[in-house]
Amino acid sequence: MWHGPRLRLKPASVAAIAGCRADAIIHFFGIASDARFLCKSSSMNPLLIEFSQKLAPVLKARGFKKTGATWYRNLDRMIQVLNIQKSPYADNFYVNVGIYLKALGDELRPPEARCHFRFRAESVLGADERFELNRLLDFTQKAPTSDRYQDIQILLEKSALLWLDENSTEQALWKLLQTPDAHAFAVRKGARDFFSERYD
């Protein structure tokens, strides 16, 4: 018989617990308050979990907060998104980057796929560094150095993280759209229209 404190669970939490592993359910009752997060975490690939943990210090230092395999930085007029994606077929990874404009939506944790600006981290690197990052993200190949994660972090600081720092305002994004580099980014039509109406 249960002798602990009585718990009142929302229907969504009860449904989430039903799909959890036993260890996640125990953790939920003992410590955690969000069963849905536990279920998601418990089903994540161990290598994906390790990857996200290795990047945690540099991302937290920049103000990002994590949900699953996605990191969010909440700014005044936008949410910056960095998602770590594992291939379903092999131990290959991709780092997806997005910007969600608050003027065009009200999601607090938008998936990278629903962001208004999207790109892969390597697309803002030069050819040699792009090749190097892709090689490091392919875990089926032996790492060229002894610290794969450190090398990935350095290249991400030169690419995705630097880009996000430099394009943290609407004005910066609008200027970017006027340059030849704009073709490297997937930009939703609604975002283009928004900038044209606001800044043209």
Side-chain angles (χ1 to χ4, degrees):
M1 180 179 294
W2 172 255
H3 295 290
R6 296 179 64 184
L7 298 174
R8 294 182 179 179
L9 301 179
K10 295 179 180 179
S13 295
V14 174
I17 291 172
C20 281
R21 299 183 329 200
D23 57 343
I25 295 173
I26 291 170
H27 184 66
F28 169 74
F29 282 107
I31 302 173
S33 60
D34 192 338
R36 285 168 291 181
F37 172 76
L38 281 168
C39 290
K40 186 174 183 179
S41 296
S42 66
S43 63
M44 283 175 61
N45 179 277
L47 189 56
L48 179 58
I49 293 174
E50 179 183 75
F51 194 156
S52 190
Q53 289 174 340
K54 292 290 186 179
L55 293 183
V58 68
L59 292 172
K60 287 181 178 179
R62 281 177 160 81
F64 284 85
K65 296 182 179 180
K66 185 170 76 74
T67 298
T70 303
W71 293 82
Y72 297 93
R73 181 161 64 175
N74 196 340
L75 302 179
D76 183 36
R77 299 188 62 82
M78 66 183 65
I79 299 171
Q80 296 182 334
V81 180
L82 190 146
N83 165 258
I84 303 169
Q85 176 188 354
K86 182 186 177 298
S87 167
Y89 307 108
D91 287 337
N92 294 350
F93 288 87
Y94 310 96
V95 179
N96 306 308
V97 185
I99 289 182
Y100 185 87
L101 300 172
K102 293 181 179 180
L104 300 179
D106 58 3
E107 294 189 61
L108 299 178
R109 291 288 185 271
E112 177 271 336
R114 287 207 292 271
C115 285
H116 302 101
F117 280 73
R118 301 171 60 204
F119 65 96
R120 286 261 170 88
E122 69 271 13
S123 66
V124 292
L125 286 170
D128 291 343
E129 290 181 324
R130 184 184 308 132
F131 173 81
E132 183 66 16
L133 180 57
N134 283 329
R135 182 168 64 157
L136 288 165
L137 292 173
D138 182 358
F139 280 64
T140 65
Q141 303 294 324
K142 183 178 179 181
T145 67
S146 60
D147 196 337
R148 181 194 297 267
Y149 288 114
Q150 178 67 25
D151 294 340
I152 291 173
Q153 177 181 311
I154 291 171
L155 287 172
L156 288 180
E157 289 181 308
K158 289 183 177 181
S159 58
L161 297 177
L162 177 61
W163 189 93
L164 289 172
D165 287 343
E166 293 177 343
N167 294 279
S168 59
T169 65
E170 289 180 353
Q171 291 86 345
L173 292 174
W174 169 240
K175 289 179 181 178
L176 176 68
L177 288 177
Q178 313 309 307
T179 70
D181 295 332
H183 73 275
F185 309 99
V187 184
R188 292 187 180 275
K189 183 179 183 300
R192 292 184 183 275
D193 293 343
F194 167 76
F195 283 118
S196 295
E197 294 171 4
R198 190 177 182 93
Y199 295 105
D200 244 354

